[in-house]
Amino acid sequence: MATYRSRNALAGPLTADRLSAIELPRTSLGRRGYRPDDVDALLHRLVYELGERTRLLDRALAENDRIKRALRTWQADVQDPARNPR
């Protein structure tokens, strides 16, 4: 699977443990909250990796369905040889 690269992103794929361990740097004194660039970079990375995982899951599910259909067809042919004369 491809890994998203950004100057502000962590290296390597995100896991639940790594995601829960992320600590965004605080802004300097006088400002409250997180730096918007850091938050945006993290959100972009999350969107990318979630999209990749969804794409891979969809591909795996489609392949699973294809294999199931092929198996059902093969089983029907074996049970009823008249369906598929050789």
Side-chain angles (χ1 to χ4, degrees):
M1 172 173 48
T3 302
Y4 178 79
R5 301 267 183 232
S6 168
R7 65 181 175 82
N8 295 323
L10 299 171
L14 288 177
T15 63
D17 292 337
R18 290 191 69 205
L19 189 55
S20 65
I22 291 176
E23 291 186 26
L24 297 173
R26 297 283 179 172
T27 58
S28 58
L29 292 176
R31 291 184 54 201
R32 295 174 48 164
Y34 297 106
R35 289 189 288 230
D37 290 343
D38 292 331
V39 174
D40 289 343
L42 179 61
L43 290 175
H44 287 215
R45 168 119 188 243
L46 292 171
V47 167
Y48 174 81
E49 290 213 12
L50 182 59
E52 281 296 298
R53 284 181 173 88
T54 301
R55 184 181 61 76
L56 291 173
L57 177 60
D58 289 345
R59 184 190 306 169
L61 292 173
E63 178 67 3
N64 192 16
D65 287 341
R66 184 192 69 77
I67 292 169
K68 285 181 181 179
R69 282 192 308 273
L71 179 60
R72 286 186 193 115
T73 301
W74 176 80
Q75 288 172 330
D77 289 346
V78 167
Q79 289 175 357
D80 185 9
R83 257 186 85 192
N84 191 14
R86 291 180 189 217

